[in-house]
């Protein structure tokens, strides 16, 4: 019995990891390219810091880049580290998993007979990104970003470029803290440094992804789904049940619509929408990746905010449709 459970958990873990890893590779590759070519500081700071235009700009960038919740984190982190206004970077972080073309195409392929879902999902995802990005903008950077990311944002260089002593007080043995070589903007950047930092980031993010997939696999094979779907027709409980299911299953946003198709007839429309909106932004697998961007209190705030917004979107949909 125990061996069967472990075997099932191992199979689920492999499926989650193999599904997510290609998108993480794409995200790290895009972040490495951005680290080399993106101008830092003043140029990126020209992006809108407006509470509405900033997230909309980030959401538009998310539409252009096929990054799910595993691939958008390293790209958004690089935007923040390079000096981008937080509303733009946060808009990309939270909107890209729902608004990118791959996700929109998979939603259309899974639900061609439910046209309301084809516009409700991106609209709800965009609204969530706008609200969460605006709420984060009201807080100080030091209260939401990790110390390493704050340091990179301040000096516009990878924190992993030197040891802790080197990053804190300049090169060891140097009297001038400014002696630490910064990665300058433009063609003077070294591809070698960018690739090395990208490889270091890939190793760290892969470790977090493995941990997240392992936890998600254990939860997915331990928690019974029957009780989640048993309340599928209750207007409020169905939304809450599918939100829990989305967080636990941790399926990639590029294929979650096909998974939702399997139980779409058993749940309310609002529950279906909440599943498709919350899962790409908050799940067990992605929380570890968020740890490279947000401090612990900010992660809790983001998770609660996204959960409340997904619940409201589901409730409002049930009110209109049922």
């Amino acid at each position: 019995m125990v061996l069967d459970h472990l075997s099932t958990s191992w199979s689920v873990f492999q499926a989650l990891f193999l599904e997510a890893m290609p998108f993480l590779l794409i995200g790290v590759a895009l972040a490495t390219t951005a680290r080399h070519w993106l101008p830092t500081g003043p140029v990126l700071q020209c992006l809108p810091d407006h509470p509405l235009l900033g997230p909309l700009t980030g959401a538009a960038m998310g539409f252009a880049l096929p990054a799910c919740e595993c691939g958008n984190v390293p790209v958004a982190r690089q935007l923040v580290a390079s000096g981008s206004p937080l509303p733009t970077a946060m808009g990309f972080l939270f909107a890209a998993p729902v608004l990118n073309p791959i996700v929109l195409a998979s939603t259309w392929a899974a639900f061609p007979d439910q046209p309301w879902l084809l516009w409700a999902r991106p609209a709800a995802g965009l609204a969530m990104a706008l609200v969460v990005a605006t709420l984060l903008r009201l807080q100080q950077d030091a209260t939401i970003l990790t110390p390493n990311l704050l340091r990179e944002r301040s000096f516009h260089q990878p924190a992993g470029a030197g040891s802790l002593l080197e990053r804190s007080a300049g090169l060891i043995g140097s009297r001038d803290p400014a002696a630490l070589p910064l990665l300058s903007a433009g063609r003077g950047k070294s591809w070698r440094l960018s690739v090395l930092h990208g490889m270091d980031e890939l190793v760290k993010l892969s470790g977090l992804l493995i941990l997240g997939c392992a936890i998600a696999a254990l939860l997915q094979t331990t928690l019974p789904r029957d009780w989640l779907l048993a309340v599928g027709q209750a207007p409020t409980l169905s939304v809450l049940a599918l939100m829990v299911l989305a967080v636990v299953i941790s399926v990639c946003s590029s294929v979650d619509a096909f998974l939702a198709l399997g139980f779409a007839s058993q749940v309310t429309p609002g529950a279906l929408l909440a599943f498709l909106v919350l899962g790409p932004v908050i799940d067990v697998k992605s929380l570890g990746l968020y740890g490279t961007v947000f401090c612990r209190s900010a992660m809790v705030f983001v998770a609660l905010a996204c959960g409340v917004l997904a619940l409201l979107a589901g409730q409002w949909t049930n009110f209109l449709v049922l």
Side-chain angles (χ1 to χ4, degrees):
M1 185 70 177
V2 176
L3 291 179
D4 291 340
H5 179 75
L6 291 177
S7 177
T8 303
S9 299
W10 173 247
S11 299
V12 173
F13 166 78
Q14 292 182 87
L16 288 173
F17 181 74
L18 293 177
E19 180 184 72
M21 195 61 191
F23 293 95
L24 180 61
L25 289 172
I26 292 174
V28 172
L30 290 173
T32 300
T33 304
R35 181 176 298 110
H36 186 80
W37 290 110
L38 270 182
T40 58
V43 177
L44 280 185
Q45 289 170 8
C46 292
L47 291 172
D49 191 31
H50 190 272
L52 179 60
L53 294 181
L56 285 176
T57 302
M61 295 167 59
F63 180 81
L65 296 174
C68 70
E69 68 271 20
C70 300
N72 69 321
V73 174
V75 178
R77 189 184 189 283
Q78 183 55 35
L79 286 172
V80 175
S82 299
S84 169
L86 277 184
T88 300
M90 295 300 103
F92 174 84
L93 178 63
F94 297 117
V98 177
L99 294 186
N100 80 70
I102 295 177
V103 174
L104 296 178
S106 67
T107 305
W108 173 81
F111 298 98
D113 57 339
Q114 299 191 43
W116 69 271
L117 195 58
L118 304 182
W119 62 261
R121 185 184 191 186
L126 178 60
M128 178 180 291
L130 291 175
V131 173
V132 177
T134 301
L135 293 176
L136 290 175
R137 181 179 180 271
L138 299 177
Q139 305 178 44
Q140 297 293 326
D141 291 2
T143 63
I144 60 175
L145 302 179
T146 62
N148 277 347
L149 184 53
L150 282 171
R151 189 176 296 113
E152 293 185 39
R153 186 170 173 81
S154 299
F155 294 101
H156 308 302
Q157 68 168 1
S163 68
L164 181 61
L165 288 176
E166 290 172 339
R167 295 198 304 267
S168 300
L171 290 174
I172 296 177
S174 172
R175 297 181 179 179
D176 184 8
L180 181 60
L182 299 179
L183 293 179
S184 59
R187 297 182 179 179
K189 290 182 180 178
S190 167
W191 265 113
R192 180 175 175 274
L193 287 177
S194 297
V195 171
L196 286 176
H197 186 72
M199 293 174 62
D200 179 66
E201 188 174 59
L202 177 62
V203 171
K204 293 178 181 178
L205 290 177
S206 297
L208 293 171
L209 181 63
I210 290 173
L211 178 61
C213 289
I215 295 174
L218 289 174
L219 291 176
Q220 191 174 148
T221 54
T222 302
L223 294 179
R225 298 188 196 179
D226 295 340
W227 69 270
L228 290 173
L229 298 180
V231 294
Q233 297 304 316
T236 301
L237 289 179
S238 64
V239 177
L240 292 172
L242 266 292
M243 287 171 57
V244 173
L245 189 63
V247 173
V248 170
I249 288 182
S250 302
V251 68
C252 181
S253 61
S254 59
V255 295
D256 62 352
F258 296 101
L259 175 64
L261 182 61
F263 51 76
S265 60
Q266 306 174 43
V267 299
T268 61
L272 183 61
L273 179 62
F275 177 88
L276 294 175
V277 171
L278 181 64
V281 182
I282 298 293
D283 59 36
V284 175
K285 177 184 62 183
S286 64
L287 287 177
L289 301 180
Y290 280 163
T292 64
V293 178
F294 300 115
C295 63
R296 189 171 302 175
S297 59
M299 287 176 59
V300 173
F301 173 81
V302 168
L304 291 177
C306 291
V308 170
L309 292 171
L311 177 61
L312 291 176
Q315 288 284 76
W316 185 66
T317 300
N318 283 338
F319 177 77
L320 292 179
V321 176
L322 293 181

